[in-house]
Amino acid sequence: MSAHCQLTGARPGFGNNISHSHRRTSRRFDPNIQRKRYWLPSEGRYVRLTLAARAIRTVDNIGIEAAVARIRARGGKV
């Protein structure tokens, strides 16, 4: 599963681990990605979305119809 959110577009950030001796090695900061299934009444079907935990709260606030409209406006496939 790719580590990006369909709604917010959140992707991994990159940085460094810094040891006690101050040596640096690469690391990733992954978003908290979850797969969640929603009922989409306008189409009479379920949709499975890959969302960050923050985006799940956004869907709860704005509703699934508005969230799917935002995803499609970004060019995403639902």
Side-chain angles (χ1 to χ4, degrees), residues 3 11 16 19 23-24 33-34 42-43 49 56 59-60 71 73 77:
R11 291 186 178 272
N16 291 306
S19 70
R23 289 177 63 89
R24 293 161 190 248
I33 298 295
Q34 310 291 326
S42 64
E43 298 182 16
L49 300 176
I56 292 172
V59 171
D60 291 344
I71 291 170
K77 182 173 175 276

Side-chain angles (χ1 to χ4, degrees), residues 22-54:
H22 223 64
R23 289 177 63 89
R24 293 161 190 248
T25 55
S26 293
R27 63 160 295 174
R28 278 171 50 137
F29 296 91
D30 286 329
N32 185 4
I33 298 295
Q34 310 291 326
R35 282 180 58 85
K36 190 150 170 60
R37 193 174 81 143
Y38 289 98
W39 173 251
L40 194 58
S42 64
E43 298 182 16
R45 68 184 181 106
Y46 284 98
V47 292
R48 188 176 298 274
L49 300 176
T50 304
L51 301 171
R54 180 180 63 186

